[in-house]
Amino acid sequence: MTRHPPVKSSVRDLAVLGGAPSFAEPLYVGRPNVGDRNQFLKRLTDMLDRRWLTNDGPMLKEFEQRVATLLGVRHCVAVTNGTVALELTIRALELHGEVIIPAFTFVATAHALQWHGITPVFCDIDPTTHTLDPRAVEAAVTPQTTGIIGVHVWGHPCDIGALTAIAHRHSLRLLFDAAHAFGCSYQGEMIGRFGDAEVLSFHATKFFNTFEGGAVVSNDDDLATRLRLMRNFGFAGYDQVVSVGINGKMTEVAAAMGLTNLESLDRFITTNQRHYEQYRRLLAGVPGIVPVAYDAGERCNYQYIVIQVDEAHAGLSRDELMEVLWAENVHARRYFYPGVHKMAPYLSHGVSLPQTDRICVQVLSLPTGTAVQSANIETICQIIRLAVAHADHVRTAVQARHRRAPTG
Ligand SMILES: *Cc1c(COP(=O)(O)O)cnc(C)c1O
C-alpha cells in the first residue's frame, strides 16, 4: 500500500529546498499494467500440464487470433520483442539503402535498420503531434530510399494519409513502429492495419505487456508467411528449411500473460484516461507547463502523460523541474533525450533537426498507469505548481545542489 503523503503547501516543503521527500518509495514511469493474476496462474497450470512451452503453442495461436481480431487486421505474427519484430519486417520487406525515420523515437527504431546495414535517415517531426513531418519526409527521399518508418509517438497516430501518399508517389515501403499505439485509432480505425505492416511492442513498460514481446500486424498474406518462416529458422516442416531465419518465437508463458492482459484492457484504459484527465485538470493554468493532449475523437491508450516545459514561461527548465521531482522520489523521465541523431552510433550523420532538438529538451513523462493512485497524482501536480510558482527560489536551490555535488 502506498501511503498518501501530506500535500506540500510552502516552497520550503520541497525536497530540493530541504523538505522531506513526498514519497518514501520511488514512483516510476512505466510500471507494468498487470491483469487478473488468478487467470494468469490458471493458464500457467494448464500450460505446465500440457508441457507445451513454446513453438506455435495453443496460447500463442489464441493470442495472435485475438490481437488480429481486436485490431481488425488479417495477420498477427507474435515474436520475442518489438525490436525483433522491426528487424524481421525490415528484412521481409527487403528494405536496403536508406530508410527515413524520425530521430524522436526509442533508439531501437534506428538500431533495427543499422543492424541490417541500412542507413537510417533522420527526419524532423511535427511540433504538435511529435510524429514525422510529411514535408520533411518528402524532402529526405533520395534514389537510395527504399522505405519510411513512421512512429506513433505517445500513441498519437502519424499523419498516415500523407505518409501513404508519399510512399505511393516514390514507390517506397511504409512501415509503422506502433510500439506506443496498441489500442489507439486513426480516423476511427484501429492502428495495426496501416502501411505494409505495423510493429507492436509488448515490453513490460508498454501499455499492454507480455513481459517481453512484440508482433507484426499486417493485411499482407505473403508478408505474414515470410515472417512466420523467418521467426522459426525458416522451417516449413519438421526438417524442411526453405529460407534463412532466426529464432523470434514468442513463448507460451508470454502468450498467457498477453491473453490475461487482453481481458483487462478496458480497465487499463479507464485508469489511464482518468489519470490523464486528472493531470490536465490539476496542471491547467500552470505557466509554461503544457500537457500533451490526445485527440478526444480517437481511441487512445493514454499510456503516456507527457508535459512540455516551456522554460521562458515556467521560469524553470525541464531538467530543473525533473530534479525537483526526483528529489521528491518522483522518477519523471525525459523521453528520447537527446534524440537518436545525437546518440553515439548516429552522431556522424550530422543532421540538423530543429523541432526534434526543441522537443527533446522540453518533454517530461510523468508516472501513470494502474500502479499509480489518484492521490499520488494530486501530490505530483502540487509539487509542479509550487515549483513553478517559486521558480526563482527553486532555481537557486537546484544550482546550489549542483555546486555541492557537481556530478549531480
Ligand atoms: C519499446 C519500443 C521499441 C522496442 O520494443 P522492445 O519490445 O522493447 O524491443 C521500439 N520502438 C519504440 C518506439 C518503442 O517505444
Side-chain angles (χ1 to χ4, degrees), residues 116-132:
H116 290 273
I118 300 162
T119 305
V121 172
F122 299 112
C123 193
D124 218 348
I125 52 173
D126 178 293
T128 50
T129 65
H130 300 177
T131 62
L132 275 178

Side-chain angles (χ1 to χ4, degrees), residues 57-191:
M59 287 196 289
L60 183 277
K61 286 198 184 110
E62 186 185 349
F63 175 64
E64 290 186 333
Q65 186 54 53
R66 291 216 177 168
V67 170
T69 303
L70 179 71
L71 303 185
V73 66
R74 288 170 67 84
H75 303 282
C76 168
V77 181
V79 296
T80 43
N81 59 59
T83 306
V84 164
L86 277 170
E87 288 190 55
L88 291 178
T89 313
I90 284 163
R91 270 193 84 112
L93 292 174
E94 297 179 346
L95 297 183
H96 57 276
E98 297 176 358
V99 171
I100 298 168
I101 65 168
F104 191 67
T105 182
F106 183 61
V107 71
T109 319
H111 279 353
L113 292 164
Q114 191 72 50
W115 197 253
H116 290 273
I118 300 162
T119 305
V121 172
F122 299 112
C123 193
D124 218 348
I125 52 173
D126 178 293
T128 50
T129 65
H130 300 177
T131 62
L132 275 178
D133 173 354
R135 280 163 310 177
V137 170
E138 188 132 43
V141 174
T142 75
Q144 283 71 49
T145 311
T146 59
I148 302 167
I149 305 179
V151 182
H152 305 307
V153 175
W154 319 133
H156 278 300
C158 295
D159 187 343
I160 295 174
L163 293 177
T164 304
I166 294 169
H168 281 158
R169 223 166 14 249
H170 299 276
S171 302
L172 305 175
R173 294 298 205 165
L174 179 61
L175 174 58
F176 291 104
D177 179 339
H180 288 194
F182 190 77
C184 302
S185 69
Y186 171 74
Q187 296 182 351
E189 292 189 65
M190 297 306 277
I191 294 286

Side-chain angles (χ1 to χ4, degrees), residues 25 65 72 89 113 194 228 237-240 275 285 307 310 330 368 370 372:
E25 300 286 331
Q65 186 54 53
T89 313
L113 292 164
F194 297 103
R228 289 184 191 285
Y238 272 112
D239 43 20
Q240 192 193 359
H275 289 345
I307 55 172
D310 177 355
V330 177
T368 183
T370 50
V372 173

